[in-house]
Amino acid sequence: MLDSRFREPGESWRLFRLHLNEVPWGPPAAAVRRIRDAAERANIYPIGETKRAAEAAARHFGVSPRQVVLTTGVDEATDLCLLELRRLITVRPGFNGFTDRAAALGLPARAFELPDYAAMPRALFEAVEPNDVVMVASPNNPTGQPFRDEDLLAVLASGAYLFLDETYADFADGAPGLRWLHRFDRLIVFKSFSKSFGLGGLRVGCMISDSRTMERFRSRQEYYPVDRLAVEGLIAALAEEPDFPERLAGRIRPLRDELTYQLRACGLFERILDSSTNFVLAICRSAAEAKEIQRFLAERARILVASAEPFGLAKGLRITVGNERQVEILGRALNSLGRQLQEEGALVADRD
């Protein structure tokens, strides 16, 4: 039975959305109440509320408010870093938002291919220079796997800045970023409230780093870029349901295990990566097969899954961990496709 503390939204629009890593249940109820009240004050700039939201985030993460900069998601955080630090180093497959923002800003970027899905390539360490900014998500998007601590520490030891996107860290067993802050003034940790707090529609996150670094980034921000509804919702979520990420992760993990089992059992994929996130990466035998499976799920089962091609893995499909019913329906659809392909293969064999 669904945990009563998680609210089930109408399934007419949510049921088949397994392509954006959205939380399959509603956000904290406290945030919803606060947002409704705040809407009546939408004509007023959120001056004091923005300060209180940053202070609330600082308390939640155990840092000083001077170390926190609220942003409109990872996109603004990326822009602030790139405008200040200029040259981007990242990995593929990896989050494409980093290179996309560099291209939009007309700034240089290099992406190095991962030799496997958890270790950074030697070529990256050979190429990185002091004052570069290495941007990675850990756990990685789309692989779902965290990078090794020794690789992340090697980046910091090089003298470069490390922008460590821990959007999915609350679904993993542990994340190193906040533990390392006192050791490295060139470590910038990004924390999103979109996934772990179910607030994706508010587009709010924060960067955490050395206070002097954060002051440099803060000076580049627009006038109160995070809107009133977002900061009010965040304040309420942090004040009244600070354990929401832990409860959500407890809900997601068994469903992630079930999804992983379903993906491996259907026989359609070359490899299914173990995941530490709220999604699972399925690797097909070819890019063409990935497109066919994605098309089948969309057209025949009304299930949307994400192609990993924009992330640098054309034969990959990134599939969000949905609720119990979503995982069950996806499993049935994949098994149906698997049986269909087996029958078609048998028919070909008979004709031969």
Side-chain angles (χ1 to χ4, degrees):
M1 181 177 294
L2 186 67
D3 189 328
S4 61
R5 292 171 294 182
F6 293 108
R7 300 178 304 105
E8 191 83 33
E11 289 194 343
S12 60
W13 67 275
R14 178 70 78 172
L15 179 59
F16 302 110
R17 293 175 60 89
L18 301 183
H19 63 311
L20 295 175
N21 301 339
E22 296 163 326
V23 173
W25 305 284
V32 175
R33 290 194 301 269
R34 187 74 168 258
I35 290 168
R36 286 172 178 160
D37 292 341
E40 297 181 359
R41 303 188 301 281
N43 59 309
I44 301 172
Y45 288 112
I47 298 173
E49 290 80 0
T50 298
K51 182 174 183 292
R52 287 197 293 273
E55 290 170 347
R59 285 193 299 272
H60 182 75
F61 293 119
V63 298
S64 164
R66 296 177 60 219
Q67 294 179 266
V68 173
V69 170
L70 291 184
T71 66
T72 50
V74 73
D75 299 314
E76 187 196 4
T78 300
D79 284 2
L80 292 173
C81 285
L82 292 178
L83 288 169
E84 183 70 24
L85 303 174
R86 311 300 291 179
R87 198 172 88 115
L88 166 68
I89 303 290
T90 189
V91 298
R92 286 171 59 90
F95 179 54
N96 60 322
F98 301 143
T99 51
D100 286 352
R101 293 311 305 158
L105 295 170
L107 295 173
R110 294 186 67 184
F112 292 86
E113 296 292 330
L114 295 174
D116 60 39
Y117 296 116
M120 289 187 182
R122 178 177 297 179
L124 183 151
F125 298 111
E126 293 173 347
V128 70
E129 298 178 2
N131 299 319
D132 287 344
V133 57
V134 177
M135 290 187 161
V136 293
S138 186
N140 190 21
N141 180 9
T143 68
Q145 299 187 325
F147 287 106
R148 302 181 304 186
D149 284 3
E150 53 263 42
D151 286 349
L152 300 174
L153 290 170
V155 171
L156 291 165
S158 72
Y161 287 84
L162 173 62
F163 180 93
L164 185 58
D165 178 358
E166 293 191 338
T167 291
Y168 299 99
D170 284 302
F171 301 109
D173 293 331
L178 297 181
R179 299 198 310 269
W180 293 346
L181 283 175
H182 70 285
R183 296 171 54 191
F184 303 102
D185 59 7
R186 294 196 170 197
L187 171 63
I188 304 158
V189 179
F190 177 78
K191 291 290 189 178
S192 173
F193 302 102
S194 296
K195 310 304 191 250
S196 58
F197 273 94
L199 297 174
L202 299 187
R203 302 291 296 129
V204 60
C206 69
M207 289 189 291
I208 307 172
S209 185
D210 175 77
S211 59
R212 289 168 297 181
T213 302
M214 288 298 91
E215 185 55 38
R216 291 163 61 190
F217 293 157
R218 194 177 291 111
S219 68
R220 287 186 174 272
Q221 278 192 300
E222 298 176 7
Y223 184 74
Y224 298 108
V226 184
D227 67 55
R228 170 174 289 279
L229 301 187
V231 296
E232 294 274 16
L234 178 59
I235 289 170
L238 293 174
E240 300 187 39
E241 300 191 53
D243 65 337
F244 191 92
E246 182 180 352
R247 292 190 281 112
L248 178 63
R251 191 69 181 164
I252 289 290
R253 286 180 182 128
L255 289 168
R256 183 176 68 201
D257 293 343
E258 175 62 21
L259 174 61
T260 301
Y261 170 80
Q262 296 279 8
L263 293 172
R264 287 175 174 157
C266 71
L268 292 172
F269 302 106
E270 181 178 76
R271 183 180 177 189
I272 306 299
L273 296 189
D274 292 326
S275 175
S276 296
T277 64
N278 68 333
F279 61 83
V280 178
L281 181 68
I283 300 174
C284 304
R285 295 173 182 84
S286 67
E289 280 196 15
K291 289 181 179 178
E292 281 301 302
I293 294 171
Q294 184 185 32
R295 181 189 61 79
F296 172 89
L297 290 174
E299 295 179 1
R300 300 283 296 276
R302 294 179 57 239
I303 299 172
L304 301 178
V305 300
S307 168
E309 184 172 10
F311 303 91
L313 188 62
K315 63 178 185 176
L317 294 175
R318 192 194 66 188
I319 303 172
T320 305
V321 178
N323 62 31
E324 288 87 345
R325 188 180 175 202
Q326 290 169 337
V327 172
E328 179 186 355
I329 290 173
L330 175 65
R332 290 206 303 263
L334 292 171
N335 286 330
S336 174
L337 177 59
R339 289 193 300 270
Q340 175 183 320
L341 293 177
Q342 286 180 348
E343 291 170 0
E344 290 176 356
L347 290 174
V348 171
D350 289 344
R351 288 198 296 271
D352 291 343

